[in-house]
Amino acid sequence: CRRRSRRPRPNRPAPVGVVQTGTLAPSQPVNLTIASIGVATDLERLGVRADGTLAPPDEYGRAGWYADGVEPGRPGPAVIVGHVDSRAGPAVFYRLGELAPGAMVEVGRAAGSTVRFRVTEVGEYAKADLPTAAVYGPSAGAELRLITCSGVFDEASGHYRSNLVVYATLA
């Protein structure tokens, strides 16, 4: 599988300068907006399947939040996933690959507040090479990961061979 030149380093050094520590009170995320690519979706709670992989959203037009992970705006990487397409056509994260560093992402919270993130990196990885530590591991502050399938669709397995990961930090 191909890898984009913007591939993040799995063992990135700690940020330099002021680090926002995600001091927001706990509140579950309820929606996601990425105006630059036309995404506006409610979020469903997601868990882990029996095989240890993150379950995808039930609906192709809606994204989901990894509920056993970090809430957006709290310290650590919050993870939101969505489908890229379906047999019927484009899904909620169809245009996710168009995001570039600097793009803004907003997550609405049940408490009524909105957390804003700025995209810092975009990477595409073969599923077997997903840098798990960079995606799910500890971070110096509140961060966000947006994940969808990408690359070549394998007809035999019925799955894409790669994942696209968007990395973002508090804006």
Side-chain angles (χ1 to χ4, degrees), residues 46-57 66 68 81 83 127 149 159:
L46 303 176
V48 176
R49 298 182 204 164
D51 68 359
T53 60
L54 183 58
Y66 175 45
D68 291 332
V81 302
H83 295 282
K127 289 193 179 198
C149 292
H159 299 284

Side-chain angles (χ1 to χ4, degrees), residues 33-89:
T33 303
I34 311 171
S36 63
I37 59 170
V39 171
T41 178
D42 289 335
L43 295 173
E44 66 180 76
R45 294 175 55 90
L46 303 176
V48 176
R49 298 182 204 164
D51 68 359
T53 60
L54 183 58
D58 290 332
E59 296 181 24
Y60 290 98
R62 185 170 59 195
W65 162 65
Y66 175 45
D68 291 332
V70 175
E71 294 173 348
R74 305 283 295 160
V79 176
I80 295 176
V81 302
H83 295 282
V84 67
D85 62 12
S86 71
R87 293 183 192 275

Side-chain angles (χ1 to χ4, degrees), residues 114-131:
T114 299
V115 184
R116 290 176 181 79
F117 295 89
R118 184 179 317 280
V119 172
T120 57
E121 302 175 64
V122 177
E124 184 173 7
Y125 312 93
K127 289 193 179 198
D129 295 334
L130 185 75

Side-chain angles (χ1 to χ4, degrees), residues 3 15 28-29 35-36 52 62 64 80 88 98 112 133 138 140-141 149 160-161 164:
R3 293 198 177 156
Q28 293 186 14
S36 63
R62 185 170 59 195
I80 295 176
E98 296 175 27
C149 292
Y160 282 91
R161 294 183 181 165
L164 181 75

